[in-house]
Amino acid sequence: RLAELLKIPPPSLLGIGVGIPGLIKDGVVKTSVNLGLTDVPLRQVLEKDLGVPVTVANDATLAAWGEKQAGSPADPANFLLVTIGTGIGSGIVLEDQLMEGKYGSFGELGHTVIQPGGRPCKCGNKGCLEQYVSIGGLLANYKELYGQTITMGQLVMAEAAQVEAVLEESAQKLGLALANAAILLDLRMILVGGGLSEIHGFIPKIRYWTNYYAMPSIQPIQVEKASLGNDAALYGAYHLIKSQVVCHKSQVLSRNS
């Protein structure tokens, strides 16, 4: 059905890459709190139905690989990409390698605790970064600051001073998390993507607070807008599945030679 929707003749479909927000390990969606998935063997299901190799990875991880392969980061060998939208995701490239970790939770920046005992998170914890820096996080900031429940559309149309205060609150918390990530991973380059990266003036605030909290000897940390926008994960999925198909074919040829 997917091949039909994409109008791709089955022989031409060499593989499929799938990005999911959450913890992914060996093609299994261990947990995706935003999608309500737990222990779903997605790769196995799709490969059975489609008959082609399938790669399943965290969507922000794929986006980072897309920026590495087709974007323009100042340091393409070592950087962190943070995506801000419904939640927070992050993908990390170190020494030209895509980092995924052993257990599937590598780079889950959105579920690091930034406010002990703070806002409840869907993951079951309290005070996760995602609850302060996301669409829901911005709206919660507004409610705490001004005592009113509003929508994202209403926030965009709010008074400039109110919008600035809401963004400042989120940027400060994200800057703290990114400064900690930079020293932990020895990074000097951070890319910001996702829908909220498009908000005017948000990235300069994130840059300021990241360097404010960063250890002086590792400053300045570059914080820039990601170049591929919403297409980053598509590029990442393409390059990842392409490399795996080529590797598989090489192994087959090696066994047959």
Side-chain angles (χ1 to χ4, degrees):
R1 176 60 178 155
L2 182 59
E4 292 175 7
L5 289 173
L6 296 175
K7 295 181 171 55
I8 300 174
S12 301
L13 185 62
L14 300 180
I16 292 176
V18 180
I20 298 285
L23 277 61
I24 317 294
K25 181 61 180 175
D26 297 328
V28 176
V29 183
K30 304 300 292 182
T31 180
S32 176
V33 297
N34 289 330
L35 297 181
L37 302 177
T38 302
D39 292 327
V40 177
L42 189 57
R43 182 176 68 190
Q44 178 183 340
V45 170
L46 291 177
E47 286 186 339
K48 180 180 178 181
D49 288 346
L50 297 171
V52 295
V54 173
T55 291
V56 180
N58 176 274
D59 56 347
T61 297
L62 289 179
W65 196 236
E67 290 289 342
K68 155 73 178 170
Q69 296 293 334
S72 55
D75 182 359
N78 299 278
F79 66 91
L80 179 150
L81 167 70
V82 59
T83 58
I84 318 169
T86 304
I88 279 198
S90 65
I92 300 164
V93 173
L94 296 177
E95 299 297 321
D96 282 319
Q97 300 298 312
L98 182 64
M99 299 290 103
E100 295 187 90
K102 182 177 181 179
Y103 303 106
S105 60
F106 198 96
E108 277 295 320
L109 189 69
H111 294 288
T112 57
V113 174
I114 202 73
Q115 184 70 50
R119 298 171 186 168
C121 182
K122 291 180 181 178
C123 75
N125 214 335
K126 290 184 177 180
C128 289
L129 179 65
E130 186 169 290
Q131 297 307 310
Y132 297 86
V133 192
S134 61
I135 292 174
L138 293 182
L139 299 181
N141 289 350
Y142 188 93
K143 184 174 182 179
E144 285 188 358
L145 289 169
Y146 303 108
Q148 296 179 1
T149 299
I150 63 172
T151 66
M152 195 64 193
Q154 290 171 322
L155 177 60
V156 171
M157 300 302 294
E159 294 180 15
Q162 293 181 336
V163 175
E164 286 290 305
V166 166
L167 293 178
E168 200 73 44
E169 181 76 15
S170 289
Q172 183 176 5
K173 285 185 167 54
L174 180 55
L176 175 57
L178 292 176
N180 288 334
I183 190 65
L184 182 66
L185 299 171
D186 194 25
L187 294 173
R188 305 294 183 273
M189 181 77 238
I190 293 171
L191 300 178
V192 183
L196 296 189
S197 69
E198 302 292 339
I199 297 177
H200 178 71
F202 195 26
I203 290 179
K205 293 180 186 298
I206 297 169
R207 183 186 303 119
Y208 170 81
W209 285 110
T210 299
N211 282 282
Y212 177 89
Y213 286 118
M215 185 178 179
S217 62
I218 72 169
Q219 296 178 16
I221 297 171
Q222 297 182 70
V223 180
E224 306 295 341
K225 191 174 185 297
S227 63
L228 297 179
N230 291 331
D231 291 336
L234 298 178
Y235 282 99
Y238 165 75
H239 284 282
L240 201 58
I241 193 67
K242 179 183 176 183
S243 65
Q244 292 180 0
V245 169
V246 170
C247 180
H248 175 71
K249 287 185 175 180
S250 298
Q251 290 174 349
V252 171
L253 290 173
S254 179
R255 287 197 299 267
N256 294 338
S257 61

